[in-house]
């Protein structure tokens, strides 16, 4: 069923001298007005502030397909990569707030406005819908000799791989090792792929990385899962035997989780926003999107997290700034 939004204003022209019509017009506008135009009446552009072919792009295209079916309009996905998401969101923030320009992106791109110089702030955008999350999993090589999360506390000087300086994988692991009271050295790599391979090859003691990157190696037995970080503090359905960092009483309050959502330029009409929101949430239930999420180990947000996803990003931004200063991490 289409989720088209139509706002109409009742109105009946008053015809002088005809008493019956005059009586009917007493509950209608004396001048009358035409119906507001439908939304959408043309193509919608979905800006993805990351490169084509990556997980965000693939997820965006799956979501866009589902939203098209709900809205009855084409959604054109445009990749605008650069500057950790700043390039794409900068362009979006300058667009008209009419619902025809939206974005699907991980929250990291919004958070960047608090970490670097950017022409937008959180107030530049209207949150439409929170969609899903990318959990983090603490892993170690099968050959590391580390069998549990508790073993990290007893290990000698540790090393861990990260997908880049100042990334969530870096900041989260700094918080984790401080919480454990152990000395550890970050080994930065250019992206998640090399960081995962470093853990698989036992070139580092452990790592805390995206579930989508490490799960194939956990399934093959090359990596051992020690703990998980999730939005709700619960264990993952696909790793029910692995404890969450919340239940291990780790300092998760200041850790960062990747949350994906749909947003538009600030000032969006309420009805248009609800049409987009309804379509986005309905699209997550489509087979195409559900298959993508399952294949990439990305759970949908629970209702409470979804309702507060944008505020959560604001809190994350403040915590990230604090952590960068605390641990002396300089963004590159």
């Amino acid at each position: 069923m289409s989720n088209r939004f139509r706002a109409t204003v009742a109105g009946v022209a008053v015809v002088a001298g005809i008493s019956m019509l005059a009586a009917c017009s007493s509950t209608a506008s004396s001048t009358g007005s035409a119906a507001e135009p439908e939304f959408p009446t043309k193509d919608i552009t979905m800006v993805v502030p990351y490169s084509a072919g990556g997980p965000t792009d693939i997820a965006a295209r799956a979501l866009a397909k589902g939203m098209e079916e709900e809205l009855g309009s084409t959604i054109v996905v445009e990749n605008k990569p650069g500057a950790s998401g700043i390039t794409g969101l900068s362009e979006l923030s300058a667009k008209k707030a009419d619902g025809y320009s939206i974005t699907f992106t991980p929250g990291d791109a919004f958070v960047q406005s608090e970490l670097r110089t950017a022409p937008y702030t959180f107030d530049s955008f209207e949150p439409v819908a929170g969609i899903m999350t990318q959990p983090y999993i603490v892993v170690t090589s099968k050959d590391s000799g580390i069998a549990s999360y508790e073993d990290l506390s007893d290990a000698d000087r540790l090393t861990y791989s990260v997908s880049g300086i100042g990334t969530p994988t870096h900041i989260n692991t700094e918080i984790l090792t401080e919480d454990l009271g152990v000395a550890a050295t970050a080994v930065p790599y250019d992206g998640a792929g090399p960081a995962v391979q470093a853990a698989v090859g036992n070139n580092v003691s452990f790592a805390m990385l995206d579930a989508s990157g490490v799960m194939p190696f956990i399934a093959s037995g090359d990596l051992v899962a020690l703990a998980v970080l999730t939005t709700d503090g619960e264990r993952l359905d696909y790793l029910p035997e692995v404890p969450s960092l919340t239940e291990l009483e780790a300092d998760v309050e200041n850790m960062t989780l990747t949350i994906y959502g749909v947003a538009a330029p600030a000032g969006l009409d309420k009805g248009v926003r609800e049409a987009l929101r309804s379509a986005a949430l309905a699209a997550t239930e489509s087979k195409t999107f559900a298959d993508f999420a399952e294949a990439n180990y990305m759970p949908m947000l629970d209702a409470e997290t979804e309702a507060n996803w944008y505020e959560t990003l604001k809190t994350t931004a403040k915590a990230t700034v604090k952590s960068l200063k605390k641990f002396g991490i300089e963004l590159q």
Side-chain angles (χ1 to χ4, degrees):
M1 181 180 294
S2 173
N3 281 316
R4 290 176 178 271
F5 161 68
R6 185 194 297 270
T8 59
V9 180
V12 179
V14 178
V15 180
I18 303 178
S19 60
M20 183 178 292
L21 289 180
C24 292
S25 69
S26 62
T27 57
S29 168
S30 61
T31 58
S33 61
E36 294 281 337
E38 291 184 343
F39 175 84
T41 58
K42 59 182 180 179
D43 292 354
I44 295 170
T45 298
M46 177 182 283
V47 175
V48 176
Y50 297 96
S51 300
T56 300
D57 175 64
I58 295 171
R61 292 176 189 278
L63 187 72
K65 182 177 180 180
M67 290 181 68
E68 286 180 338
E69 295 174 359
E70 295 295 319
L71 292 167
S73 184
T74 299
I75 297 180
V76 180
V77 176
E78 290 188 356
N79 298 94
K80 300 289 183 179
S84 300
I86 292 177
T87 299
L89 290 194
S90 295
E91 183 171 313
L92 179 69
S93 67
K95 296 291 185 180
K96 186 177 179 181
D98 56 7
Y100 291 101
S101 297
I102 61 176
T103 185
F104 173 78
T105 180
D108 299 350
F110 296 108
V111 172
Q112 290 301 315
S113 65
E114 298 291 317
L115 309 181
R116 310 171 192 265
T117 300
Y120 60 85
T121 68
F122 276 104
D123 292 338
S124 301
F125 303 99
E126 180 88 22
V128 173
I131 303 298
M132 63 187 184
T133 181
Q134 173 68 272
Y136 289 106
I137 304 179
V138 181
V139 296
T140 187
S141 168
K142 62 180 176 59
D143 301 319
S144 69
I146 299 172
S148 69
Y149 178 77
E150 289 76 13
D151 286 348
L152 292 173
S153 297
D154 301 324
D156 292 331
R157 186 171 181 83
L158 300 169
T159 57
Y160 61 91
S161 60
V162 297
S163 57
I165 297 294
T167 60
T169 62
H170 186 188
I171 295 171
N172 286 349
T173 315
E174 286 283 355
I175 295 171
L176 183 147
T177 54
E178 180 186 57
D179 190 53
L180 287 170
V182 297
T185 301
V187 182
Y189 289 88
D190 186 16
V196 172
Q197 288 299 326
V200 172
N202 201 27
N203 296 319
V204 292
S205 308
F206 74 107
M208 184 178 184
L209 298 168
D210 296 348
S212 59
V214 299
M215 273 304 299
F217 298 99
I218 293 173
S220 68
D222 292 306
L223 288 176
V224 177
L226 305 177
V228 299
L229 177 64
T230 58
T231 54
D232 59 7
E234 301 294 329
R235 298 187 180 197
L236 292 168
D237 291 342
Y238 49 82
L239 286 177
E241 73 286 358
V242 180
S244 73
L245 287 173
T246 299
E247 67 182 278
L248 289 168
E249 299 184 347
D251 179 18
V252 300
E253 184 177 351
N254 293 312
M255 290 185 183
T256 297
L257 264 168
T258 298
I259 297 176
Y260 291 77
V262 176
L268 197 62
D269 176 84
K270 182 178 179 181
V272 172
R273 177 185 179 277
E274 288 307 310
L276 289 170
R277 174 177 171 77
S278 179
L281 294 179
T284 65
E285 299 178 5
S286 68
K287 186 178 187 304
T288 299
F289 195 81
D291 287 348
F292 167 83
E294 182 178 356
N296 288 275
Y297 308 98
M298 296 179 176
M300 297 298 105
L301 298 179
D302 61 79
E304 182 178 355
T305 306
E306 192 283 321
N308 299 293
W309 72 280
Y310 205 63
E311 291 303 314
T312 298
L313 292 182
K314 294 179 182 179
T315 300
T316 292
K318 294 178 181 178
T320 298
V321 170
K322 182 178 177 181
S323 293
L324 290 173
K325 293 179 180 178
K326 178 178 181 179
F327 297 114
I329 300 173
E330 294 185 7
L331 297 177
Q332 296 179 337

